[in-house]
Amino acid sequence: MKAQDTLIRALAEQHPETAARALERLDPAEAAKVLSSLPAAPVTRVVERLAPHAAAQILDRFTAEQTRDLLEAMGPKQASIVLRHLEEQKRGAALAAMPEQAAKRLQELLRYPPESAAGMMDPQVVSIPVDVTAQEAISLLRRAPRQNLHYLYVTDRENRLVGVLQMRDLLLSAPREPLEPLIRRETRSVKAETDREEVAAVMRETRFAALPVVDVEGKLLGVVKSDDVLTAVQDEAFEDLQRMVGAGGDERAAAPVSLAVRKRLPWLLVNLATAFLASAVISMFEGVLAKVTALSVLMTIVAGQGGNTGAQALAVVIRGLAVREILPGMMWRILFKELGAGFLNGLAVAFVTAAGTYAWYRSPALAAVIGMAMIVNMTAAALAGAAIPLALHKMGRDPAQSSSIFMTTVTDIVGFAAFLGFAMIFIKHLG
């Protein structure tokens, strides 16, 4: 047996989080072999702490019986997360092998998108029937698993959320006193389909440790905990960052090469096509470039500065959309603001760039050309950086999805066209 396997086995017993990180660095087949030799309890604790895609890759190497036993031992929330990352055939086989009730519960969770409240919730929640006495309620709470107690939610016979109890009110009430007068009915909850960004906004507003999740009929489905929301929002922020540059939102550093290629290659090809467009613009001015070689040196400055300007606008607008700062009806206000900022910044940068160009080449015409091109490109870049994510959002698409690729295309084409176009106009003065 390898020393590495022995170490992971010891870690699985005492430090499952560390063991999970170690297993993620192994080949999935090797990791599955290590876990297969461990007792069920530590295997469950380790798999629950694995990154979902890594857990799915390992479960692909398990037998149907091993997968079934592991999913049954896991909490329904963790099991549903892993199931989402399994191939459809493997997922169906795992659910078919499970007891009917357990499989039904997981299928219910899988119906909801992972970025929704129900997709993030823990379905294991304790509620108190509305028609019991205080003493009966306390007895129910004593028998309930501690990890499933969040707030004292009260439900009716149809499991509809009625309200919430304060522990102080419950403990100070008479044993035979009914719960009805003690219930606080003004309870904040979220619908099952509520997007995680909206859930996060409610969490920030209420400062609750958990929020009840209800369906369209008001039936209590589970709870969303604040730490899970925080993790989900952080994950979404990093996913958006990856999507902005054309990488898959679900790709991780330890993901296999096949996933990286599948997620990145399409956008690399799109980027290649846009690069050809920029090159086609340059080719239209070959005669000007041949006459004034300094243009070849300076034109990348214009495109690069435009790219930076567009990236700034892009980041600000995407953040505004993510945290819901940009409300309906604010689109034109945002566009005009970025247009003004791009123009004023362009004026300032154009002055500095023109001064530097004049000091370098001693050509007033060349300094004027690059200065005017800088103003045009930085203004267009700021406008594009705001307009692209707003347009994607308006179309119901992810505003971060490869926005930087589209924005860079605009800044390259406009930058080269403006710089070389002005150069063609003033060609007599550049010689």
Side-chain angles (χ1 to χ4, degrees):
M1 183 184 296
K2 295 181 180 179
Q4 187 182 40
D5 293 354
T6 306
L7 176 61
I8 292 176
R9 291 184 185 188
L11 286 173
E13 296 283 352
Q14 302 297 327
H15 304 285
E17 183 74 36
T18 306
R21 300 291 81 76
L23 284 171
E24 288 174 355
R25 291 193 287 270
L26 296 179
D27 178 78
E30 192 175 344
K33 184 178 179 182
V34 173
L35 286 176
S36 297
S37 62
L38 296 177
V43 169
T44 303
R45 290 195 295 270
V46 171
V47 173
E48 286 181 337
R49 290 163 172 80
L50 286 169
H53 75 274
Q57 289 174 351
I58 292 173
L59 261 62
D60 271 336
R61 275 76 178 177
F62 278 13
T63 65
E65 292 74 20
Q66 287 176 312
T67 303
R68 178 201 63 203
D69 294 342
L70 181 58
L71 291 173
E72 284 186 48
M74 295 171 68
K77 179 186 174 184
Q78 288 80 7
S80 67
I81 292 172
V82 173
L83 279 170
R84 289 184 194 277
H85 287 76
L86 285 176
E87 292 182 1
E88 189 173 349
Q89 184 177 359
K90 185 81 173 180
R91 184 192 312 143
L95 289 170
M98 296 180 70
E100 183 179 353
Q101 193 64 30
K104 185 178 179 181
R105 179 191 291 180
L106 289 175
Q107 286 170 335
E108 282 293 314
L109 289 174
L110 291 170
R111 283 197 310 113
Y112 297 102
E115 65 274 7
S116 67
M120 298 187 296
M121 74 178 179
D122 184 352
Q124 296 177 308
V125 56
V126 174
S127 62
I128 304 170
V130 69
D131 54 358
V132 300
T133 63
Q135 186 176 6
E136 290 170 333
I138 292 172
S139 298
L140 285 171
L141 293 176
R142 285 174 177 166
R143 295 194 300 269
R146 291 186 178 183
Q147 67 271 19
N148 298 341
L149 284 170
H150 306 284
Y151 290 96
L152 305 184
Y153 300 117
V154 182
T155 55
D156 62 16
R157 291 183 179 274
E158 302 297 326
N159 198 40
R160 287 188 292 263
L161 182 64
V162 174
V164 67
L165 282 175
Q166 293 288 335
M167 181 66 76
R168 177 178 177 276
D169 294 339
L170 180 61
L171 293 177
L172 293 178
S173 60
R176 296 185 180 279
E177 184 177 349
L179 290 186
E180 190 75 29
L182 306 176
I183 299 172
R184 303 194 177 193
R185 297 180 180 273
E186 296 180 359
T187 305
R188 290 295 297 269
S189 61
V190 290
K191 300 292 185 184
E193 296 80 9
T194 304
D195 185 82
R196 58 185 172 188
E197 292 176 0
E198 190 173 336
V199 176
V202 176
M203 281 281 190
R204 286 194 296 268
E205 180 186 343
T206 60
R207 299 184 182 275
F208 288 164
L211 280 172
V213 181
V214 298
D215 63 12
V216 291
E217 297 177 352
K219 294 182 179 180
L220 182 63
L221 300 176
V223 292
V224 178
K225 291 178 278 189
S226 58
D227 54 347
D228 291 334
V229 174
L230 177 62
T231 300
V233 171
Q234 288 176 334
D235 287 345
E236 184 168 25
F238 287 121
E239 288 171 10
D240 285 348
L241 181 63
Q242 291 178 195
R243 289 192 186 102
M244 283 176 65
V245 293
D250 56 348
E251 185 185 337
R252 298 297 179 264
V257 172
S258 59
L259 177 65
V261 172
R262 191 168 70 251
K263 294 293 184 179
R264 300 180 194 180
L265 184 57
W267 290 109
L268 288 173
L269 294 175
V270 170
N271 197 33
L272 179 62
T274 61
F276 272 110
L277 284 175
S279 297
V281 171
I282 296 173
S283 69
M284 296 167 60
F285 300 94
E286 286 181 351
V288 179
L289 288 169
K291 291 180 180 178
V292 186
T293 56
L295 297 175
S296 301
V297 178
L298 296 173
M299 67 180 184
T300 55
I301 298 176
V302 179
Q305 200 65 29
N308 290 335
T309 303
Q312 290 173 339
L314 195 68
V316 171
V317 172
I318 287 178
R319 178 193 177 278
L321 291 170
V323 301
R324 301 178 185 275
E325 286 179 350
I326 300 176
L327 304 175
M330 292 179 62
M331 184 180 72
W332 290 109
R333 175 183 166 189
I334 300 299
L335 291 176
F336 280 122
K337 172 248 183 178
E338 291 299 336
L339 186 69
F343 177 72
L344 293 175
N345 284 333
L347 282 175
V349 173
F351 178 80
V352 176
T353 307
T357 302
Y358 178 77
W360 190 355
Y361 290 101
R362 296 297 174 179
S363 171
L366 188 58
V369 164
I370 197 171
M372 290 186 294
M374 192 69 77
I375 295 171
V376 170
N377 196 28
M378 289 183 65
T379 304
L383 183 61
I388 289 170
L390 287 172
L392 290 171
H393 181 71
K394 189 78 172 176
M395 293 186 292
R397 305 295 297 273
D398 184 351
Q401 184 64 65
S402 298
S403 291
S404 66
I405 292 177
F406 297 126
M407 186 271 300
T408 302
T409 302
V410 172
T411 57
D412 283 353
I413 291 175
V414 173
F416 294 144
F419 183 54
L420 298 176
F422 284 130
M424 179 176 283
I425 294 171
F426 295 98
I427 187 65
K428 294 181 180 180
H429 304 284
L430 295 177

